[in-house]
Amino acid sequence: MRGGTVQINWHDTKPVLTLDFHPLSGILATGGADYDIKLWLINSGEVEKEVPTVSYQTSLSYHGSAVNILRFSPTGEQLASGADVSFRMKVDMKPLLLILFDSTAPTDSCMVQWCELIIWKLHSTDTGPSWKVLKTLSFHRKDVLDLQWSTDGAFLISGSVDNSCIIWDVNKGSVHQILDAHLHYVQGVAWDPQSKYVASLSSDRSCRIYVNKPQNKTKGMEKMNYVCQHVITKSEQQMVDDSKSVKSHLFHDETLPSFFRRLKWSPDGSFLLVPAGSYKYSPASGPVNTAYVFSRKDLSRPALQLPGSSKPVVAVRFCPVAFQLRGSNSAGLFKLPYRLIFAVASLNSLYIYDTESIPPIAILAGLHYASITDIAWSHDAKYLAVSSQDGYNTLVEFENGELGSPLVLSEVKSVMGDEKTSPAQKPKPEDMKVEETTAQVVTVSEDSRKREVERKGDLKEASQNATSGSASAPKPAKRRITPVSIDLS
């Protein structure tokens, strides 16, 4: 594994707010506060044993404000992007005709608020691939912060500062359903790969799970209809003297210094990974930053938590590739016939987890001067990209076979339909102890401005006997980040 912060002019030194890899070509798309979407070709650094580099390809210019979120459709034929509110001049056409003949004629014009969610279409031209605006989806009244495509690419869900989620019919370019129960900004949305659920996460300190309950058939087809099934907000804990129970919030409030809480389903649909967690082990203890793992068996409460981050967790993302089991750790917390890998980003660090291991397999810290905004995996699991408010992106490249032997997800026996057996199991008491970390810890010194995250020598798979380290600057006391189960009853 090698990587580092690629110090080029990504978006005119403005913050980079989002990024995503094309599911076929591997082109990296980035969106920033300069109002543009830019496409980049990744150049491997494997031969020279250096940090991967990028080559600028083209810009997609249409938005009139900062681009907060972009995601390619599952087929790669379309790209959806959401932005802040912008204001455009609306001119009445009748007076405008008068201007052509009389420059002194008055015009009836006004500034209108424009909340942009754009669908781009990939076209083949004589000069190569070209992206053009296909549709503009307009209904949100304020900034669009997050979006996610359905598995078939026919729908997408978006979350906004107007406190609502909207499910869009992409083919019709119209609103299919509005979910407006949140009381504050909706900063993250996720679509279940099986399309049975959608989920949203808001700064009102709640995560909502919606289940599809189709309405009566129209023209021989059932109409998709999502209704709220679970509202996850607090956990209940007993006082030391068992006299009474106390409820504590599970999520950070609106003071969290990020506009993004990007949650994500696993590719097989067995887990929902939710950021922005704030958990108290007891009523008297202080909260710890964490991400929660929800099992498909029971989405009413978290099954596991991933504590240890010094800063709030703002984004999570699963690697799209499943891997063969290594059989090296029978104490893992996930009962899966294969391995899934996922990344968890706090404001200042990146943690990479493996479902066959208990601690993270790698920790990358000190990459950026400002908060992390988004993370993305390439379709072949070769690259992991991280964007930041400081105007730079970090690229991590994995060597062939470093993460394991890949499996094709379509050939993997899915656990999506088996909701009677939980793929997450309660850890043994000894696994819940805080011990020395077994993760690869990669710290980048800000003093030297060296943003490389390549370790000395060859970086190999971390074992439980690896040298311990810290997730940030080295400290005398080094602790292990251990997922633990939580009891909310």
Side-chain angles (χ1 to χ4, degrees), residues 6 83 106 128 167 174 360 406 477:
V6 182
I167 295 176
S174 61

Side-chain angles (χ1 to χ4, degrees), residues 84-271:
D84 282 352
V85 169
S86 62
F87 294 88
R88 297 189 179 187
M89 183 72 74
K90 182 179 180 181
V91 182
D92 183 78
M93 293 307 296
K94 185 175 180 179
L96 183 61
L97 293 175
L98 295 176
I99 297 177
L100 300 177
F101 303 98
D102 182 3
S103 61
T104 63
T107 61
D108 183 13
S109 62
C110 63
M111 296 296 292
V112 295
Q113 185 170 292
W114 191 272
C115 303
E116 294 176 328
L117 203 166
I118 305 299
I119 305 296
W120 304 79
K121 175 73 173 178
L122 179 61
H123 297 270
S124 296
T125 65
D126 295 338
T127 58
S130 175
W131 290 89
K132 297 180 181 179
V133 174
L134 176 66
K135 291 183 176 77
T136 299
L137 307 181
S138 300
F139 199 87
H140 280 300
R141 300 182 303 277
K142 295 184 180 179
D143 308 352
V144 177
L145 298 180
D146 201 20
L147 63 85
Q148 181 67 52
W149 289 87
S150 63
T151 305
D152 59 6
F155 296 88
L156 61 80
I157 182 172
S158 58
S160 169
V161 173
D162 64 13
N163 304 354
S164 75
C165 306
I166 294 181
I167 295 176
W168 303 86
D169 186 320
V170 176
N171 295 326
K172 295 179 180 178
S174 61
V175 173
H176 178 81
Q177 187 177 356
I178 301 176
L179 309 173
D180 57 0
H182 280 295
L183 303 177
H184 213 268
Y185 305 161
V186 179
Q187 298 177 306
V189 291
W191 199 298
D192 169 26
Q194 198 180 6
S195 292
K196 181 176 181 179
Y197 302 104
V198 294
S200 60
L201 186 59
S202 168
S203 51
D204 66 4
R205 310 186 84 168
S206 73
C207 177
R208 290 179 174 266
I209 309 295
Y210 303 86
V211 63
N212 183 20
K213 293 187 176 180
Q215 294 178 338
N216 295 333
K217 294 183 178 180
T218 57
K219 297 181 180 180
M221 297 181 62
E222 290 184 335
K223 183 179 180 181
M224 183 174 61
N225 178 55
Y226 283 94
V227 297
C228 188
Q229 185 180 58
H230 302 295
V231 181
I232 302 98
T233 57
K234 295 181 179 181
S235 65
E236 189 170 348
Q237 298 163 325
Q238 291 293 128
M239 296 291 288
V240 177
D241 57 1
D242 292 332
S243 60
K244 62 179 180 178
S245 61
V246 177
K247 290 186 177 181
S248 301
H249 283 283
L250 287 172
F251 300 101
H252 283 280
D253 60 18
E254 69 275 9
T255 62
L256 188 154
S258 173
F259 272 106
F260 310 115
R261 306 182 187 212
R262 307 193 195 276
L263 67 167
K264 191 69 175 177
W265 287 90
S266 61
D268 62 357
S270 58
F271 302 105

Side-chain angles (χ1 to χ4, degrees), residues 317-319 323 339-343 352-354 361 377 403:
R317 200 79 181 264
F318 277 87
C319 175
F323 298 89
R339 294 166 49 243
L340 296 177
I341 295 175
F342 56 92
I352 303 176
Y353 284 90
D354 179 333
I361 59 175
W377 292 86
L403 295 177

Side-chain angles (χ1 to χ4, degrees), residues 333-387:
L333 301 177
F334 301 87
K335 295 179 180 178
L336 291 174
Y338 41 82
R339 294 166 49 243
L340 296 177
I341 295 175
F342 56 92
V344 175
S346 69
L347 289 171
N348 63 349
S349 301
L350 185 71
Y351 304 82
I352 303 176
Y353 284 90
D354 179 333
T355 56
E356 200 176 10
S357 304
I358 293 178
I361 59 175
I363 303 173
L364 287 74
L367 298 172
H368 295 278
Y369 287 132
S371 61
I372 291 173
T373 56
D374 202 1
I375 47 182
W377 292 86
S378 63
H379 68 285
D380 56 1
K382 187 174 180 61
Y383 299 105
L384 175 62
V386 180
S387 59

